[in-house]
Amino acid sequence: MCISFPGRVVAVDEAGAVVEADGNRRRASTLLEPSTGVGDWVLVGAGNVLRRLDADEAGELIRTLTTARASTDARDALPSPGGPR
């Protein structure tokens, strides 16, 4: 499954951009958003910068993804039904 994620552009070259998200850096194509620049917040999906985001929108997406991840982690930590008693 592919999920889109918000990130901050840390470098741009003729091949695309390097986007930092959640402490990781990934390359992304800027073909769909050629005006992408260093410091921009962007939405990345399937290896492409899909669009630029303003800082508030990026922050909201990050908070939403963090909440979803915490919820999933908490659910995965629960004992499975029918497991040892």
Side-chain angles (χ1 to χ4, degrees), residues 9 12 17 30-40 42 49 51-52:
V9 176
V12 176
T30 55
L31 189 60
L32 299 174
E33 193 67 59
S35 60
T36 300
V38 173
D40 286 346
V42 294
V49 173
R51 67 184 181 96
R52 287 185 293 176

Side-chain angles (χ1 to χ4, degrees), residues 5-31 33 36-44 47-49:
F5 63 89
R8 191 116 198 217
V9 176
V10 296
V12 176
D13 59 29
E14 63 280 344
V18 176
V19 179
E20 186 169 339
D22 201 25
N24 298 305
R25 290 184 176 195
R26 299 175 177 98
R27 290 208 52 89
S29 169
T30 55
L31 189 60
E33 193 67 59
T36 300
V38 173
D40 286 346
W41 284 100
V42 294
L43 183 65
V44 177
N48 295 285
V49 173

